[in-house]
Amino acid sequence: MARYSEPEAMEPPWRVLEFYSGIGGMRYSLMDAGIRGEVVEAFDINDRANDVYEYNFGHRPCQGNIQTLTAKDLDKYMAHAWLLSPPCQPYTRQGLQKHSGDARASSFIKILEVMQHMCQPPVMLFVENVVGFEAKRKPLSFLNPSNNNKLILRPPLDVEHRDMQSSCKEIKNFLEPRHFDLVKEEAAGGLESSCCSAQFIVPESLIERWGNAMDIVYPESSRCCCFTKSYYRYVKGTGSLLATCENRKPKGEGTDQATSLKEMGLRFFTPREVANLHSFPPNFKFPDNITLKQQFALLGNSLSIAVVGPLLQYLFCQPTQQD
């Protein structure tokens, strides 16, 4: 049986470049994986995302257009690994599927082209949310030798990381205590919201219009719909809504569904709760200048640390023979 260690060809800490760094999901994933890595530079064009990144890590990413980077520019970092989270819209099944023909993919393709002209290109490349780009440069190899020289869809089940299935906890474990009972049902049958949480109540107008398309979950649920950057702006297909009233189950047949949904005390998840569901650490914070809508948008553009962390651990580890 093989045991796992970091590659002996180069001594850690690994020097890492983080492209499309956003609010730091990749960096947190690197930390979560226990990799001895140093992010020597991060790049993102979004000013608000860079505000959040700087607030949490004390370093502001380069904000220029990465399409202007040259091979010489990138060589100076002497990075072993590149972590990238480029726009996913050109490659999603629900999009126009233009792939490299989509203007939003141009920066990603440009830096891949520049990499071919580098004197010291990275030995490892990780691209989030785009299947088919897992790769290592020889002489490094994957833990399972059968995966060398070919692209894989997921790591084998023998990766020595925490069992992700065991982390599928009930949603109530991710909720903020002060927002747990957002809506209270009065004896008269009306609904009363606490003033500190009123901004998260789903308006009745949205329930009437999009009620049939809403993904509704409960504190006891163990799954929720993916949150997108349009969450809190549009309800349909952008993320789950939480039912908070004790009598929150929809009424049976023959009852107007819109009316029953109004009685469930539906609310949006808070930004902190979305961050919790994405496995961001408790010390992750937003600076005061980031509005509520911007917080939701930035989280919707981020990633799941619980998923990316094990993948990065798999990428950076190397097999060695048992002594």
Side-chain angles (χ1 to χ4, degrees):
M1 180 179 177
R3 61 184 176 85
Y4 307 122
S5 70
E6 290 169 320
E8 298 179 354
M10 291 166 293
E11 292 294 327
W14 301 97
R15 295 177 62 84
V16 177
L17 287 183
E18 186 182 8
F19 295 91
Y20 312 96
S21 52
I23 58 177
M26 279 288 190
R27 185 161 180 171
Y28 280 123
S29 298
L30 192 71
M31 297 163 61
D32 178 73
I35 302 300
R36 292 179 58 196
E38 175 190 3
V39 177
V40 294
E41 191 54 272
F43 304 88
D44 201 289
I45 201 170
N46 188 310
D47 193 44
R48 297 285 77 82
N50 290 340
D51 287 345
V52 179
Y53 193 103
E54 182 180 20
Y55 186 77
N56 287 280
F57 296 111
H59 172 79
R60 191 171 187 85
C62 290
Q63 197 164 324
N65 192 332
I66 60 177
Q67 290 181 253
T68 64
L69 294 171
T70 66
K72 184 177 180 180
D73 294 330
L74 295 172
D75 270 328
K76 70 180 182 182
Y77 294 110
M78 296 182 291
H80 305 120
W82 288 6
L83 309 181
L84 307 96
S85 186
C88 64
Q89 293 90 341
Y91 307 96
T92 56
R93 289 175 295 178
Q94 294 183 346
L96 298 178
Q97 300 183 18
K98 291 184 177 181
H99 301 275
S100 60
D102 194 310
R104 291 168 291 189
S106 58
S107 62
F108 173 59
I109 293 177
K110 175 61 185 300
I111 57 176
L112 293 183
E113 292 174 346
V114 170
M115 183 173 61
Q116 301 177 56
H117 303 287
M118 294 176 61
C119 297
Q120 298 184 58
V123 296
M124 288 178 283
L125 188 69
F126 182 91
V127 183
E128 179 268 336
N129 209 23
V130 183
V131 174
F133 288 91
E134 304 89 346
K136 283 190 181 183
R137 184 161 60 87
K138 293 180 179 180
L140 302 184
S141 63
F142 283 103
L143 295 177
N144 186 343
S146 65
N147 290 325
N148 293 332
N149 304 316
K150 69 177 183 180
L151 300 178
I152 57 174
L153 298 182
R154 61 175 176 82
L157 297 178
D158 61 352
V159 175
E160 290 191 350
H161 197 84
R162 66 179 181 274
D163 180 6
M164 287 190 290
Q165 290 296 327
S166 65
S167 64
C168 293
K169 301 177 182 178
E170 293 182 345
I171 284 177
K172 64 184 178 183
N173 292 285
F174 302 92
L175 302 179
E176 291 188 90
R178 66 192 180 98
H179 293 299
F180 189 94
D181 296 321
L182 174 70
V183 181
K184 299 179 180 179
E185 189 170 3
E186 296 180 322
L191 296 178
E192 178 185 15
S193 61
S194 57
C195 59
C196 65
S197 301
Q199 59 189 326
F200 298 114
I201 297 175
V202 180
E204 288 190 5
S205 59
L206 290 181
I207 296 176
E208 293 171 355
R209 183 176 182 182
W210 299 111
N212 292 332
M214 290 177 174
D215 183 81
I216 299 172
V217 296
Y218 310 94
E220 300 79 19
S221 301
S222 58
R223 64 96 199 157
C224 64
C225 184
C226 176
F227 296 94
T228 74
K229 65 180 181 180
S230 297
Y231 190 65
Y232 201 66
R233 293 180 58 198
Y234 307 105
V235 172
K236 184 178 180 180
T238 61
S240 298
L241 300 173
L242 181 69
T244 61
C245 288
E246 292 184 5
N247 185 23
R248 58 180 180 263
K249 297 292 183 182
K251 295 181 179 179
E253 295 181 6
T255 304
D256 178 69
Q257 187 174 9
T259 301
S260 61
L261 289 176
K262 293 177 184 178
E263 297 174 352
M264 295 172 68
L266 298 180
R267 75 162 173 88
F268 294 96
F269 285 83
T270 70
R272 179 65 254 180
E273 290 167 348
V274 176
N276 291 342
L277 289 165
H278 286 177
S279 300
F280 276 77
N283 61 353
F284 169 78
K285 306 289 184 183
F286 284 101
D288 292 338
N289 68 307
I290 307 300
T291 67
L292 185 63
K293 287 185 178 180
Q294 289 171 340
Q295 291 178 39
F296 280 119
L298 292 169
L299 285 165
N301 270 334
S302 192
L303 48 80
S304 171
I305 295 168
V307 172
V308 175
L311 294 175
L312 288 180
Q313 186 185 59
Y314 177 71
L315 176 68
F316 278 85
C317 289
Q318 282 282 99
T320 61
Q321 296 301 316
Q322 187 73 275
D323 295 336

